Amino acid sequence: MKKALIYTLFFVLIQLVVGGVMQGLWILWKGPGAELDATGTILLMALFSVVTLVLFLCKKWAEVSPNWIRTRPWLVLFWCVLAAFGAIIPSTWLQEQLPELPNIVEEEFDMILRNRLGYVVVGLLAPFAEEVVFRGAVLRALLRWGRGPWVAILVSAFLFSAVHMNPAQLPHAFIIGVLLGWLYYRTNSIIPGMVYHVVNNSISYVLYNLYPDPDIKLIDLFQGSERSMLMAVCFSLCILLPSLYQLHLHMKR
C-alpha cells in the first residue's frame, strides 16, 4: 500500500512541477500575467506525460514486458476495442443520472479537445502514461499488498479517479479504473488497458468535436426522444456485456 501511495504522489508531484516550470517559461516568453493558451496547455500535458513515462520506466517502478503480446492475444485486444465502443453511451447515460458535479477544468479541456494536436495528448500520451503508472506501478504494488485482488483493483481505481482532480470526471474515471484494473489483473499486462484507454479517449475526442456544446445531453443526440436514447443504451449494453464475457473467457492468469 505504501508503494502505491508513493507512486501516486510522484504522479501528482510531476504534474505540479512540470506545470510550474511550464507556466514560468510561458511568462518569460509572453510576459507577466500571461496564461497558457491551447498550444501551451497541450505542450504542458505532453511534457508531463513524457516525463512521467521516462521516470517510471527508467526507475523500473512499472513492469513493462513484451511477453504477453508474444502470445498473440488478438481476440483479447479485439474485445477490448469492442467493449470500449459499447461502454460510451451507457457510461454517459449513467453519469447524467447522478447529481451534477462541478467541472473545474472545463475550459482547459475545451481548448485541448478543439485543437487537432490535442488528440496526441488526450488520445495517445495520457492513456500510455496513466496505464504505466496506475496499472503497471500502482496496481502491481497493491496486488502484492495481500488484501485480495478486488480490494487492490478498487483502491487503484479510487486513486486513478482522484488524481484527475476534477469532480465531474470522478464517477466515469472510477468505473473505467475498475475495468482497467480487472484487465491488468487477468493478463498481468498493461497492453489491454492501453488499448481500451486509447479507444475510449479517442471516441470521446471525436464525439466532443462532433458535438462541442458542453451543455448538450445524451437525449439531445436523439432529438429529445427518451425512447430512442434508452434503446441506444440497451443496444450498447448488448455490445458491452458480451464483450466483457468474451474477455472473461479469453483472459487467463
Side-chain angles (χ1 to χ4, degrees), residues 152-170:
I153 290 170
L154 291 172
V155 172
S156 68
F158 171 77
L159 294 173
F160 174 65
S161 61
V163 297
H164 283 78
M165 293 181 281
N166 183 25
Q169 291 179 270
L170 291 180

Side-chain angles (χ1 to χ4, degrees), residues 86-135:
I88 290 294
I89 291 180
S91 176
T92 303
W93 177 82
L94 179 61
Q95 180 113 356
E96 291 181 357
Q97 308 313 304
L98 299 174
E100 188 171 354
L101 298 172
N103 190 348
I104 61 177
V105 295
E106 184 175 351
E107 292 184 7
E108 288 83 353
F109 268 110
D110 183 70
M111 286 193 300
I112 295 169
L113 295 175
R114 287 178 183 272
N115 192 301
R116 290 184 179 180
L117 289 176
Y119 175 73
V120 176
V121 173
V122 174
L124 298 175
L125 288 176
F128 288 172
E130 289 172 359
E131 289 311 301
V132 164
V133 173
F134 288 97
R135 260 58 65 179

Side-chain angles (χ1 to χ4, degrees), residues 141-158:
L142 288 169
L143 288 170
R144 295 175 177 176
W145 185 27
R147 299 299 178 89
W150 281 105
V151 171
I153 290 170
L154 291 172
V155 172
S156 68
F158 171 77

Side-chain angles (χ1 to χ4, degrees), residues 205-226:
Y205 176 85
V206 171
L207 289 176
Y208 189 90
N209 281 276
L210 289 175
Y211 307 101
D213 184 356
D215 297 322
I216 196 169
K217 300 294 184 182
L218 184 62
I219 196 170
D220 298 326
L221 305 183
F222 300 94
Q223 289 74 50
S225 172
E226 186 173 358

Side-chain angles (χ1 to χ4, degrees), residues 16-65:
L16 294 175
V17 171
V18 171
V21 171
M22 188 68 190
Q23 186 65 57
L25 293 174
W26 196 259
I27 290 174
L28 288 175
W29 183 29
K30 294 287 187 177
E35 295 185 359
L36 295 175
D37 58 14
T39 301
T41 304
I42 290 170
L43 287 173
L44 166 61
M45 292 188 65
L47 183 60
F48 162 64
S49 296
V50 170
V51 171
T52 300
L53 284 168
V54 169
L55 179 63
F56 273 77
L57 293 178
C58 288
K59 287 286 187 178
K60 295 184 179 180
W61 291 341
E63 187 178 81
V64 179
S65 169

Side-chain angles (χ1 to χ4, degrees), residues 208-250:
Y208 189 90
N209 281 276
L210 289 175
Y211 307 101
D213 184 356
D215 297 322
I216 196 169
K217 300 294 184 182
L218 184 62
I219 196 170
D220 298 326
L221 305 183
F222 300 94
Q223 289 74 50
S225 172
E226 186 173 358
R227 180 173 178 272
S228 297
M229 178 187 69
L230 292 177
M231 287 179 64
V233 172
C234 291
F235 177 77
S236 296
L237 288 174
C238 289
I239 297 173
L240 173 62
L241 297 179
S243 298
L244 295 178
Y245 179 68
Q246 290 297 323
L247 284 169
H248 169 71
L249 293 178
H250 288 91

